[in-house]
Amino acid sequence: MKTEKTSAADKAKLIFLMLYFLILTIERIISLVSVFTGNISAYDGLEWYMTGLTVFSIIGAYAYILTQCRVNVKRYPNGKVSAAPAPDNDNFEKLAIAAGILLLGGMVHTVGTIPPIQFASYGMILVSMAIHTVQKIKENGGALMRWLSFGYIVAFSMSIPVVYHTQIELSWLFVPLEVAVSAGLVLLFTVMLRGFYSGDGIYSFAAAPFVTALIGDAAVLALRWNEEINFFVLIFICVTAVLYIVGRVYKAGYDKKSSR
């Protein structure tokens, strides 16, 4: 019975994770169509960087899936064939990496970007992560520890700044900083997401990713503060900080209890 439930949970996690790929890919392709049918001569270096990164992220994500993920192939009596990634731990780790590659192109505000569709795609990852959390709680207990881990990783992902154009005087400094912080935090989130799926749903609350996000977001927010306050990033880096402190303290006690 437990095997059946675990299998059902794995399939549900996989379905929502694949919906993330589908929805975000559609949105990114719509954006690329807008880019290449727009006034190309007016685009600056940042616009071409964002466009190039979007193209790379789509190609890179699916190339990684096709070359690294194990695929289940089903043949039906009518001759039809269907194929999809197998719902096993190794594939979830690899899909997490592919999700991070695709997210690189999702964190740049290209021409034709549709934020509601992007948020819908990110929501699919969160549902998949929530299912994984529930699954691991049923198997191993430790509900609070696992929900703190889930909440922290989600808040961290939401604190990643999207790359935008700016008109501030220090744009020569802000733009490369914004690009580096956004891409760097996506990379860190990808590592965290991979560990989340490969492990039992408990995050280590390592200091380095948190400090990197805190410093990076603070710099991005401060430089653009007078032009526009990014309240979304500001709120979520604060939530990330609270969850980091709570999670770090609680995990220390959790580890002591587990070692007895």
Side-chain angles (χ1 to χ4, degrees):
M1 190 68 178
K2 184 179 178 181
T3 304
E4 291 176 3
K5 286 183 178 179
T6 301
S7 177
D10 285 339
K11 287 178 182 178
K13 287 190 298 185
L14 180 62
I15 288 170
F16 281 104
L17 200 51
M18 296 312 294
L19 281 172
Y20 156 78
F21 285 100
L22 176 63
I23 296 170
L24 187 55
T25 300
I26 291 172
E27 189 277 336
R28 291 289 75 199
I29 289 174
I30 291 172
S31 177
L32 287 175
V33 170
S34 298
V35 169
F36 290 112
T37 56
N39 185 12
I40 294 178
S41 62
Y43 296 161
D44 57 13
L46 180 58
E47 194 64 58
W48 283 117
Y49 161 77
M50 294 190 293
T51 300
L53 184 63
T54 300
V55 172
F56 163 79
S57 70
I58 295 172
I59 295 173
Y62 287 98
Y64 189 87
I65 290 173
L66 290 173
T67 57
Q68 299 297 319
C69 291
R70 188 172 65 82
V71 176
N72 278 345
V73 178
K74 291 184 179 180
R75 298 182 181 277
Y76 297 92
N78 59 7
K80 289 185 177 181
V81 178
S82 67
D88 55 39
N89 283 339
D90 185 52
N91 265 357
F92 278 116
E93 289 183 49
K94 291 173 179 176
L95 287 171
I97 294 172
I101 296 172
L102 186 60
L103 186 60
L104 283 169
M107 297 306 293
V108 292
H109 194 83
T110 47
V111 174
T113 293
I114 311 173
I117 296 181
Q118 288 189 334
F119 279 114
S121 70
Y122 304 149
M124 298 301 102
I125 285 189
L126 304 191
V127 173
S128 178
M129 290 174 65
I131 293 171
H132 182 73
T133 301
V134 172
Q135 180 186 26
K136 295 305 174 182
I137 289 171
K138 287 182 178 179
E139 292 175 1
N140 306 306
L144 182 55
M145 185 70 258
R146 287 176 169 80
W147 282 120
L148 277 172
S149 299
F150 167 81
Y152 175 76
I153 296 173
V154 170
F156 185 98
S157 71
M158 294 297 176
S159 72
I160 301 172
V162 175
V163 176
Y164 285 94
H165 283 87
T166 182
Q167 301 301 321
I168 64 173
E169 284 186 28
L170 294 175
S171 60
W172 58 271
L173 172 62
F174 176 80
V175 170
L177 175 67
E178 180 185 41
V179 166
V181 171
S182 181
L185 294 188
V186 168
L187 176 61
L188 290 173
F189 168 67
T190 303
V191 173
M192 292 161 69
L193 186 64
R194 179 180 179 273
F196 177 81
Y197 279 117
S198 65
D200 58 3
I202 293 179
Y203 181 61
S204 64
F205 291 93
F210 169 67
V211 172
T212 301
L214 191 63
I215 295 173
D217 281 358
V220 169
L221 287 166
L223 280 172
R224 198 164 175 245
W225 192 268
N226 291 330
E227 181 184 51
E228 181 182 355
I229 301 173
N230 191 332
F231 284 105
F232 190 87
V233 170
L234 178 61
I235 290 169
F236 275 102
I237 192 59
C238 290
V239 174
T240 299
V242 171
L243 289 175
Y244 172 78
I245 294 169
V246 174
R248 184 98 177 185
V249 171
Y250 185 80
K251 191 173 187 303
Y254 182 86
D255 289 342
K256 284 182 181 179
K257 188 186 296 184
S258 300
S259 62
R260 290 175 184 171

